[in-house]
Amino acid sequence: MPTRDAASTRVRRVLRLHPAQAVVVGFSGAVFLGTTLLALPISSVQGEATDFYDALFTATSAVCVTGLTSVDTATHWSGFGLAVILLLIQIGGLGIMVFATLIGLVLVRRLSVRSRLNAAAETDAVGADDVRTAIRGILTLSLLIEGVTFVLLFVRFILGYEYDLGKAAWHALFHSVSSFNNAGFALYSDNLIGFAADPFICLPLCAAIILGGLGFPVLMQLRREWGRPLRWSMNTRLVLAGSVVLLLGGAVYITVIEWSNPQTLGAYDPASRILIGFFHSVQTRTAGFNSVDIGLMYDETWVGMDVLMFIGGGPAGTAGGIKVTTFAVLLFILITELRGEGAVNIFGKRLSRAVHRQAIAVVLMALAAIMTATIALMFITGHNLDRTLFEAVSAFGTVGLSTGITYELPPAAEVVLVILMFLGRIGPLTLGSALALRQRRILYEYPKERPAIG
């Protein structure tokens, strides 16, 4: 008969999760807690309990820093509910394991090996040995960027819109946190349409979104080695170069197509059209604010935005999507194949073959998830392909942009988007490894054979 010590040992082994599993469990716990709090009567303006599916949808969107909403954020949630959403955004943006590790540093001033592994798994490029320094750097950068954005917005709300101090401070705080964490939640029923032509609101938000979307590894290396670009890692160079190309390319694409659309950019003067086009290019990097009605844009614009949302931002940050580095790796693999070369070389360094497989796996799993969800949404809602595909890509990329169908989705469709948002935030590979029961070491290899390709 097993002893009490043996039983407790088995329990500890069960609770000793793999780092990837800990990330999944952590995000799941945050979503569950957020759903519970948002469902309380105190969280709504009417003082009534919020429908479970709406609470679940909003909590998942906040924790996964997406920004899709099934109820009007500005009119449905009370001050308590909005505070819960803001806290979920901040926790989700920092990362559940990073946040837990930060709490551990504050309370006990030391980290266990498992805490370091969990935080390292979530921050991606950060090694387990330097987690303490990385966590402090992440916190410092986050508060600094959010603080600067807060000041700029606070001053503008007071001087430009005559908000009182309390309202200006609350709106500046909420939108600075929402922007840096690429969440896209806004305190206005029309999101940011009322500020479409105001560069003093739009540009600070864009700056915070871009910085958050670069990823913490890139931000920390830039902080340490800003004036020494030759020492930048391949990851930093790929993210910076890819972000510039996608931001400018997206801005030109959206602006040119929507330039004469009287329901979007066509209603503004030329300078404002350029600002709005750039603003929405930034939003496709997984932020989710909108300063014109996305549902009134041309279908061609939606397709281009689908591509930008699918790619997303930098790894180990607040952005979603397959990540700029994944897209860049696949692009360089294609170029290498077209040239007939053997190894993939990027910025004077050879790319590890393991990265080839990881990039391909991420893209295939992302496409499978999006296509499956799109088909499911079409069956459930009866909407056509362009709108459901846009919604699915936005959810998986944790973007939060919508063509306007989110509010009318039935519970089954909301669940589909909840799963997509969750998968898009934690990453397909993280989820796959977390669900795997164990890793198998293959002690043999089969003989090679090459099938015909293409």
Side-chain angles (χ1 to χ4, degrees):
M1 193 171 177
T3 64
R4 181 175 298 180
D5 291 340
S8 62
T9 299
R10 284 198 297 271
V11 171
R12 286 196 297 270
R13 287 177 179 175
V14 172
L15 295 177
R16 194 174 297 165
L17 300 175
H18 184 278
Q21 293 173 323
V23 172
V24 175
V25 171
F27 271 92
S28 301
V31 169
F32 174 78
L33 178 60
T35 302
T36 303
L37 293 175
L38 291 177
L40 297 175
I42 192 177
S43 294
S44 69
V45 172
Q46 296 80 7
E48 300 176 354
T50 300
D51 178 74
F52 169 78
Y53 290 102
D54 289 330
L56 172 65
F57 192 91
T58 304
T60 305
S61 184
V63 172
C64 297
V65 291
T66 304
L68 286 174
T69 56
S70 58
V71 295
D72 187 352
T73 303
T75 59
H76 179 84
W77 303 110
S78 65
F80 177 81
L82 291 173
V84 170
I85 292 174
L86 188 65
L87 179 60
L88 294 176
I89 291 172
Q90 187 69 80
I91 293 175
L94 286 176
I96 301 300
M97 294 301 106
V98 170
F99 183 77
T101 304
L102 176 64
I103 296 298
L105 281 173
V106 172
L107 296 179
V108 300
R109 299 182 180 277
R110 62 187 178 86
L111 295 175
S112 66
V113 174
R114 181 157 298 278
S115 296
R116 293 177 180 176
L117 292 174
N118 289 341
E122 190 172 61
T123 53
D124 198 13
V126 179
D129 293 335
D130 59 351
V131 164
R132 185 191 300 270
T133 303
I135 297 301
R136 289 172 176 167
I138 288 172
L139 180 63
T140 301
L141 285 170
S142 299
L143 295 180
L144 177 62
I145 296 171
E146 290 174 356
V148 172
T149 308
F150 168 84
V151 171
L152 294 174
L153 295 179
F154 177 74
V155 172
R156 182 56 179 169
F157 283 139
I158 290 179
L159 299 181
Y161 299 91
E162 299 182 350
Y163 286 9
D164 59 59
L165 291 178
K167 182 178 180 180
W170 169 238
H171 281 238
L173 174 64
F174 191 95
H175 293 97
S176 63
V177 173
S178 183
S179 60
F180 174 71
N181 290 288
N182 280 220
F185 281 87
L187 294 178
Y188 307 95
S189 296
D190 61 355
N191 206 273
L192 297 180
I193 291 179
F195 306 102
D198 188 345
F200 298 103
I201 295 292
C202 293
L203 292 182
L205 292 176
C206 285
I209 291 165
I210 293 171
L211 291 174
L214 292 178
F216 292 117
V218 173
L219 291 178
M220 288 189 287
Q221 182 166 49
L222 291 178
R223 186 184 67 170
R224 294 191 307 264
E225 300 172 350
W226 173 256
R228 295 176 288 183
L230 294 179
R231 300 184 62 177
W232 292 353
S233 66
M234 181 189 295
N235 179 76
T236 297
R237 295 183 183 186
L238 284 177
V239 170
L240 292 178
S243 296
V244 170
V245 171
L246 292 173
L247 284 171
L248 296 181
V252 171
Y253 182 87
I254 294 172
T255 304
V256 169
I257 293 181
E258 294 292 324
W259 185 267
S260 301
N261 186 345
Q263 295 179 303
T264 57
L265 273 65
Y268 296 88
D269 61 85
S272 297
R273 296 181 196 184
I274 295 174
L275 173 64
I276 295 170
F278 174 74
F279 182 81
H280 284 86
S281 176
V282 174
Q283 304 316 307
T284 59
R285 310 308 311 287
T286 82
F289 291 118
N290 64 280
S291 60
V292 294
D293 191 341
I294 302 297
L296 299 177
M297 286 182 167
Y298 294 133
D299 292 354
E300 296 85 348
T301 307
W302 288 350
V303 174
M305 294 175 77
D306 284 340
V307 174
L308 294 172
M309 292 190 298
F310 182 73
I311 297 173
T318 60
I322 63 170
K323 304 298 188 295
V324 174
T325 47
T326 303
F327 177 77
V329 164
L330 292 179
L331 179 61
F332 277 101
I333 291 175
L334 174 62
I335 294 174
T336 300
E337 286 297 318
L338 293 177
R339 290 178 175 177
E341 300 174 354
V344 179
N345 299 311
I346 303 177
F347 299 131
K349 294 184 179 180
R350 182 168 56 87
L351 189 68
S352 169
R353 291 192 178 275
V355 178
H356 300 197
R357 299 192 300 270
Q358 292 173 359
I360 294 171
V362 166
V363 172
L364 290 180
M365 293 181 70
L367 289 174
I370 291 173
M371 290 300 102
T372 302
T374 300
I375 294 172
L377 290 174
M378 292 176 68
F379 272 115
I380 295 171
T381 65
H383 286 295
N384 55 19
L385 174 62
D386 50 2
R387 290 184 182 272
T388 52
L389 177 61
F390 190 96
E391 213 78 8
V393 175
S394 179
F396 178 83
T398 68
V399 180
L401 295 174
S402 174
T403 58
I405 67 174
T406 311
Y407 288 159
E408 61 189 55
L409 293 179
E414 290 184 11
V415 171
V416 171
L417 293 182
V418 163
I419 295 173
L420 267 184
M421 288 188 287
F422 191 84
L423 177 60
R425 180 63 180 115
I426 65 176
L429 282 183
T430 301
L431 181 61
S433 61
L435 295 178
L437 295 178
R438 60 189 178 91
Q439 294 182 343
R440 294 193 304 163
R441 183 181 178 186
I442 305 300
L443 301 177
Y444 56 89
E445 290 185 355
Y446 291 106
K448 292 183 178 180
E449 187 173 349
R450 181 172 181 172
I453 300 297

